Amino acid sequence: ESVSSKWLSKGIAYLRIKQFQGDTDSEFYKIVKKLQKEQPINGVVLDLRNNPWGVLQAAVGVVDTFIDK
């Protein structure tokens, strides 16, 4: 599991990516969709601290969650 999440306050989601692995982008997308079902997301804290990077395509997929193609 490379992505974890929690609510910091109403509408503010905290998402932590520990490392970009082959499935990190799909895992991230699923977590964002799950959080959106719980309540609207008004802001995101994306924590990449101590992330040793990894699969570039997974990082691109995470960005695609926020940006229209």
Side-chain angles (χ1 to χ4, degrees):
E1 186 173 288
S2 62
V3 182
S4 60
S5 68
K6 66 181 179 180
W7 289 107
L8 294 178
S9 63
K10 185 174 173 77
I12 306 297
Y14 171 85
L15 298 154
R16 167 118 169 84
I17 299 177
K18 298 173 192 127
Q19 183 175 5
F20 289 101
Q21 300 172 352
D23 64 343
T24 299
D25 53 345
S26 61
E27 187 180 339
F28 186 84
Y29 182 78
K30 288 176 189 174
I31 288 176
V32 168
K33 289 300 174 190
K34 177 184 163 272
L35 291 172
Q36 286 177 327
K37 287 181 182 179
E38 293 174 12
Q39 64 178 294
I41 299 175
N42 298 319
V44 172
V45 174
L46 182 57
D47 187 351
L48 300 173
R49 291 175 295 166
N50 300 316
N51 183 325
W53 301 105
V55 180
L56 176 62
Q57 191 58 36
V60 171
V62 167
V63 171
D64 282 346
T65 302
F66 298 107
I67 298 174
D68 291 333
K69 297 194 182 228

